[in-house]
């Protein structure tokens, strides 16, 4: 078990070691460990070694000059200069919020970035200013669209954060696939099979092999198959890809560069600049008085919380599981799997940073 503060400090030291500024190393560590705190272990400190591999392969600029390449009063294209997506995305959201403050809403498409961690973190930044936040990103092509044998899309997540008055905020954060690829990495570390409906093999057959994607298979869209609505997950993933990649000038579809996950580091053709994101901020009072809206959000949330549920269950509001996990892990600490601990120990030895395997 590791306290979040310990993991943040260690992560910050690693980012400093590869050349990040103090401010950006601190921000990147905050974004990364927030995933572990919220129970999204697939996108937390387990990915730290992957960001270092991006740096080793020359794909990550530790000191990016993040610039606005094009803008109008309400929109912009941001060039991330190959920086950490963990840093580029919050900067893009700041630009979106500044525009929203002036004209009611701000929409920013990002190119030339890298993996940005959990989408929900960036969307929730808007809550600090009584705004609704949107974030999405395209990702490496590990996903086979409905009826396809070719991998053409990423897990392409969407997050939306909506403020309430006295209730916790509504925070929906989900991949457009049955699960994120990080869930397969967790199963691989544990030596466990995957549930049916998560992936298909190289011939398009359903499989429980947690290594199927590495063996020529692909992740399945949300819905898993046509009879269960996979065309809808495919559609969501396509929307994210167009907004994040085509709109910004980043790579898109099968050309999105892979994250530094073992087995997916091959050089490939490029049709744009890096990985793409799309973020947005909307002022609630651009539509109606903010307190009135938030009071109605409380009513909306209350109606769902009080819904009759099947035996042994309760109806959850998007964001509840993560918020509850954060409350627990913020006190009790974060449990890391042994392979993750060993990968952190390797980084510690490489950079000469203290790291305790057993706390």
């Amino acid at each position: 078990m590791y306290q979040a503060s310990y993991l943040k400090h260690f992560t910050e030291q690693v980012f400093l070691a590869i050349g990040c500024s103090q401010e950006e190393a601190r921000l990147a560590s905050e974004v990364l460990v927030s995933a572990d705190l919220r129970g999204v272990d697939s996108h937390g400190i387990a990915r730290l070694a992957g960001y270092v591999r991006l740096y080793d392969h020359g794909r990550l600029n530790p000191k990016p000059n993040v610039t606005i390449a094009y803008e109008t009063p309400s929109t912009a294209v941001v060039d991330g200069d190959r920086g950490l997506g963990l840093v580029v995305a919050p900067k893009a959201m700041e630009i979106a919020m500044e525009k929203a403050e002036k004209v009611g809403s701000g929409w920013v498409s990002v190119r030339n970035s890298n993996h940005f961690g959990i989408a929900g973190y960036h969307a929730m930044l808007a809550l600090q200013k009584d705004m609704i936040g949107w974030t999405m990103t395209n990702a490496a092509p590990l996903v086979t669209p409905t009826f396809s044998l070719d991998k053409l899309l990423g897990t392409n997540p969407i997050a939306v954060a909506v403020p309430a008055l006295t209730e916790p905020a509504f925070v929906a954060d989900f991949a457009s696939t049955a699960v994120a690829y990080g869930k397969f990495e967790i199963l691989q570390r544990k030596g466990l099979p995957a549930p049916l409906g998560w992936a298909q093999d190289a011939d398009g057959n359903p499989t429980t092999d947690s290594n199927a994607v590495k063996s020529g298979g692909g992740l399945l869209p949300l819905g898993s198959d046509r009879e269960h609505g996979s065309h809808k997950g495919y559609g969501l993933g396509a929307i994210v890809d167009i907004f994040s990649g085509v709109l910004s000038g980043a790579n898109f579809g099968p050309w999105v560069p892979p994250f530094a996950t073992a087995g997916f580091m091959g050089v490939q053709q490029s049709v744009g600049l890096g990985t793409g994101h799309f973020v947005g901020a909307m002022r609630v009072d651009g539509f109606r008085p903010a307190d009135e809206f938030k009071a109605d959000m409380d009513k909306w949330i209350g109606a769902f919380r009080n819904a009759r549920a099947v035996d042994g269950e309760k109806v959850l509001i998007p964001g509840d599981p993560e918020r509850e996990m954060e409350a627990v892990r913020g006190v009790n600490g974060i449990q890391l799997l042994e392979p993750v601990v060993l990968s952190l120990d390797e980084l510690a030895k490489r950079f000469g940073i203290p790291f305790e395997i057993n706390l």
Side-chain angles (χ1 to χ4, degrees):
M1 300 292 288
Y2 292 82
Q3 289 297 319
S5 57
Y6 184 88
L7 296 180
K8 285 180 185 177
H9 176 74
F10 177 78
T11 303
E12 181 179 334
Q13 295 305 304
V14 171
F15 284 133
L16 286 171
I18 64 172
C20 294
S21 69
Q22 185 75 56
E23 178 186 356
E24 294 188 352
R26 185 178 297 112
L27 174 57
S29 65
E30 167 70 24
V31 178
L32 202 62
V33 177
S34 73
D36 293 299
L37 275 171
R38 293 175 65 78
V40 190
D41 298 342
S42 57
H43 284 60
I45 199 169
R47 288 190 178 267
L48 180 58
Y51 292 104
V52 175
R53 282 198 293 272
L54 285 180
Y55 169 77
D56 289 340
H57 282 76
R59 286 178 43 200
L60 175 65
N61 178 4
K63 286 189 169 66
N65 179 26
V66 180
T67 57
I68 296 176
Y70 177 85
E71 68 177 324
T72 72
S74 62
T75 64
V77 172
V78 163
D79 189 300
D81 194 26
R82 297 184 299 110
L84 280 164
L86 303 167
V87 170
V88 175
K91 290 186 176 183
M93 180 55 88
E94 288 292 336
I95 293 169
M97 290 189 292
E98 288 172 5
K99 290 182 175 294
E101 286 180 335
K102 295 175 182 177
V103 297
S105 67
W107 305 95
V108 178
S109 200
V110 181
R111 68 189 185 202
N112 212 10
S113 186
N114 282 290
H115 191 278
F116 76 1
I118 57 169
Y121 179 94
H122 313 299
M124 290 170 67
L125 292 174
L127 298 175
Q128 300 169 10
K129 297 194 175 182
D130 249 5
M131 295 181 185
I132 296 171
W134 294 69
T135 53
M136 54 187 77
T137 184
N138 64 13
L142 304 178
V143 182
T144 50
T146 305
F147 303 137
S148 176
L149 291 177
D150 294 326
K151 295 187 281 288
L152 299 172
L153 289 171
T155 51
N156 294 8
I158 302 170
V160 179
V162 184
L165 192 61
T166 59
E167 292 283 356
F170 172 104
V171 183
D173 181 0
F174 56 93
S176 55
T177 46
V179 293
Y181 182 72
K183 297 291 179 65
F184 282 86
E185 294 176 314
I186 292 172
L187 292 176
Q188 290 161 16
R189 294 180 195 117
K190 294 180 177 180
L192 297 174
L196 274 176
W198 283 20
Q200 67 182 30
D201 64 20
D203 297 318
N205 301 309
T207 181
T208 60
D209 181 5
S210 59
N211 289 288
V213 181
K214 292 182 179 179
S215 304
L219 299 181
L220 291 171
L222 186 62
S224 298
D225 56 37
R226 179 64 174 80
E227 289 71 26
H228 294 92
S230 67
H231 58 292
K232 298 177 182 178
Y234 167 27
L236 286 171
I239 290 168
V240 172
D241 196 38
I242 292 167
F243 276 48
S244 301
V246 182
L247 194 59
S248 69
N251 288 291
F252 49 82
W255 298 286
V256 178
F259 185 61
T261 304
F264 298 120
M265 281 299 292
V267 177
Q268 57 191 43
Q269 180 185 354
S270 176
V271 295
L273 295 172
T275 297
H277 319 312
F278 186 81
V279 305
M282 303 163 59
R283 264 175 44 192
V284 170
D285 63 4
F287 297 88
R288 59 184 298 204
D291 284 347
E292 290 182 9
F293 168 82
K294 292 192 293 183
D296 279 351
M297 276 302 300
D298 279 2
K299 293 176 185 176
W300 188 96
I301 292 169
F304 283 78
R305 287 205 195 286
N306 295 324
R308 291 180 301 129
V310 299
D311 287 344
E313 300 292 345
K314 62 179 180 178
V315 178
L316 299 174
I317 306 301
D320 279 352
E322 295 87 350
R323 179 176 50 80
E324 292 169 4
M325 182 64 76
E326 187 170 13
V328 172
R329 289 187 169 183
V331 175
N332 297 338
I334 298 163
Q335 185 172 15
L336 301 180
L337 295 175
E338 183 180 5
V340 176
V341 173
L342 294 177
S343 76
L344 299 180
D345 187 50
E346 289 179 5
L347 292 175
K349 291 175 180 175
R350 170 178 170 178
F351 295 117
I353 301 169
F355 179 72
E356 296 294 333
I357 291 183
N358 297 305
L359 281 180

